[in-house]
Amino acid sequence: MNNANKITDAEWKVMEIVWENGQLKASKIIEELSSKTSWNDKTIRTLIRRLVEKNILGVKKVRVNEFYALASKEECVKEVTQTFIKKIYKGSVGLLISNFVKEDKLTNEDIDMLKQILKNREEDDKNKKV
């Protein structure tokens, strides 16, 4: 899944529709995006075509083409996140987290969640060493 980083913001909106709804005809994608954007049909069809060319969106020929995701949202989010961390934080997740903790207000729930994640990670690391 090396193409997720090549998804533009506009193409991401198309993928959100497909991830939420599954296999769809272009007309349904257009209908959904037209209600959320000011894009015309031609623009949306161009975005769909580009995603097919990037091998992010598949197409099934029925009477009318139906489009479906070839990559899960999770795969795309993971790849974009990893690239972001490498680019901005030189690969250091610790720097990323410390930046967010220092700059943003965290709720008690956020803090508890982070503590639990770190505790689970520590336990996983201990189990791997055994």
Side-chain angles (χ1 to χ4, degrees):
M1 163 83 284
N2 293 333
N3 291 329
N5 287 320
K6 297 175 185 170
I7 299 175
T8 65
D9 291 344
E11 291 167 344
W12 196 272
K13 289 181 182 184
V14 173
M15 290 306 299
E16 286 283 351
I17 300 297
V18 177
W19 286 323
E20 289 172 14
N21 297 285
Q23 189 167 304
L24 297 169
K25 295 177 184 172
S27 60
K28 183 65 175 167
I29 297 171
I30 291 166
E31 177 185 323
E32 291 282 329
L33 281 172
S34 294
S35 68
K36 297 177 181 181
T37 67
S38 59
W39 301 338
N40 64 37
D41 293 12
K42 187 175 178 183
T43 299
I44 298 169
R45 288 186 189 281
T46 298
L47 294 170
I48 292 169
R49 179 184 47 78
R50 288 181 186 164
L51 286 163
V52 170
E53 290 170 357
K54 291 178 181 181
N55 210 31
I56 300 292
L57 196 61
V59 60
K60 179 179 175 184
K61 195 90 163 166
V62 190
R63 283 202 269 171
V64 178
N65 290 343
E66 292 186 357
F67 297 89
Y68 55 93
L70 292 173
S72 71
K73 183 175 183 178
E74 291 77 21
E75 289 174 311
C76 292
V77 168
K78 181 178 179 183
E79 188 171 321
V80 170
T81 301
Q82 288 172 344
T83 300
F84 172 77
I85 292 170
K86 286 177 188 172
K87 179 180 176 182
I88 304 299
Y89 295 99
K90 298 180 181 168
S92 173
V93 175
L95 282 176
L96 168 79
I97 293 170
S98 67
N99 185 51
F100 280 106
V101 169
K102 289 176 188 175
E103 300 298 323
D104 293 333
K105 291 187 178 188
L106 297 175
T107 65
N108 287 334
E109 292 83 18
D110 292 335
I111 293 169
D112 290 341
M113 181 183 67
L114 286 171
K115 286 179 181 177
Q116 188 61 47
I117 290 169
L118 292 171
K119 181 180 175 184
N120 291 346
R121 177 63 188 261
E122 186 176 49
E123 290 173 6
D124 288 347
D125 287 349
K126 285 180 184 177
N127 290 335
K128 287 180 185 176
K129 291 179 182 177
V130 173

